[in-house]
Amino acid sequence: MSVLVDLLVKRQIEASRQRLMSFMTDYLVAPDHVAVILASSKMDELLREAIAARLRPTGDEHDSLLDGDRGISTFELRILLAQRLGIIDAQFASSLHIFRRLRNDFAYTLEMQHLDKPPHCDRVDELSRRFDLDEGVARMQSAGDGGLGRYSAHKMRFVVASTLVLARLEAAASITDEVDDKPAQMIAATLEP
């Protein structure tokens, strides 16, 4: 990656992170199940936007590939496709799968779920290791505290991890280029009489 593109990506991620911090602060005060489901839904939507940016436009109002029952409309399939298209790497895809499993557990269970109880706390701990969250959590808690001390460490880690992931996905959606038409043009040229 060129230095200019690298700088652009870093600036985009930082701008996204700043916007998302206020967005995620709302999730800090929300019950765990609300925070998990809404943050994961936002990740899914940003992943869809990044994939759509990579694909050539359909010309239709409705994109049957990315929406609806027949398309790539699940979070899991979007993670896999984004990785295969080179929008995200394998490590980031693996982290998104952790968020997906958290979301599924919270969304499809009738009992009240909590981020500080197994198996959720184990997943949050894994995200914490992957994103080295302890420093970010400490910064959030020391930023005037503002009552942040009343939230569990797992809730704080989830919020910080979600913020980082959303910032990266927002940046990916804004800088992803559409695939080029070179192969199609080359094939068309060989078929011309």
Side-chain angles (χ1 to χ4, degrees):
M1 192 180 312
S2 75
V3 175
L4 183 59
V5 171
D6 192 37
L7 182 61
L8 175 66
V9 170
K10 286 180 181 175
R11 283 186 181 164
Q12 183 64 40
I13 288 173
E14 186 55 35
S16 296
R17 187 177 295 152
Q18 293 300 321
R19 280 192 303 278
L20 291 166
M21 281 308 290
S22 63
F23 176 74
M24 291 307 296
T25 301
D26 293 340
Y27 288 158
L28 195 57
V29 298
D32 289 358
H33 68 283
V34 172
V36 169
I37 292 169
L38 291 179
S40 299
S41 295
K42 181 73 173 165
M43 290 174 198
D44 187 14
E45 181 56 30
L46 287 170
L47 204 52
R48 185 206 175 285
E49 288 177 22
I51 293 168
R54 171 74 79 201
L55 301 176
R56 292 175 52 201
T58 64
D60 294 336
E61 188 176 311
H62 177 73
D63 188 338
S64 60
L65 179 63
L66 295 176
D67 302 317
D69 296 335
R70 295 184 4 218
I72 301 166
S73 60
T74 68
F75 194 15
E76 180 177 22
L77 290 175
R78 288 180 180 161
I79 294 168
L80 295 171
L81 182 58
Q83 182 184 352
R84 297 282 302 272
L85 289 171
I87 297 169
I88 60 174
D89 63 17
Q91 181 70 19
F92 194 67
S94 176
S95 297
L96 286 173
H97 282 296
I98 293 172
F99 282 103
R100 181 185 57 80
R101 284 191 294 277
L102 278 166
R103 187 226 31 211
N104 288 349
D105 285 351
F106 278 76
Y108 301 118
T109 303
L110 295 176
E111 296 92 34
M112 185 59 77
Q113 302 291 310
H114 299 282
L115 287 167
D116 56 353
K117 304 270 193 249
H120 314 306
C121 61
D122 300 328
R123 291 180 179 145
V124 173
D125 289 342
E126 176 61 25
L127 290 169
S128 184
R129 283 188 294 278
R130 288 176 183 219
F131 294 106
D132 194 22
L133 296 181
D134 289 330
E135 183 181 327
V137 169
R139 255 196 325 258
M140 278 181 71
Q141 288 175 328
S142 69
D145 195 80
L148 294 178
R150 70 176 180 245
Y151 302 107
S152 75
H154 287 96
K155 176 77 173 257
M156 295 290 289
R157 287 184 187 122
F158 175 82
V159 169
V160 174
S162 297
T163 302
L164 294 172
V165 167
L166 288 168
R168 290 178 185 180
L169 287 172
E170 191 175 272
S174 69
I175 65 166
T176 298
D177 292 329
E178 186 179 310
V179 295
D180 64 39
D181 287 340
K182 287 179 188 173
Q185 292 169 354
M186 290 171 58
I187 292 169
T190 63
L191 298 175
E192 291 178 3

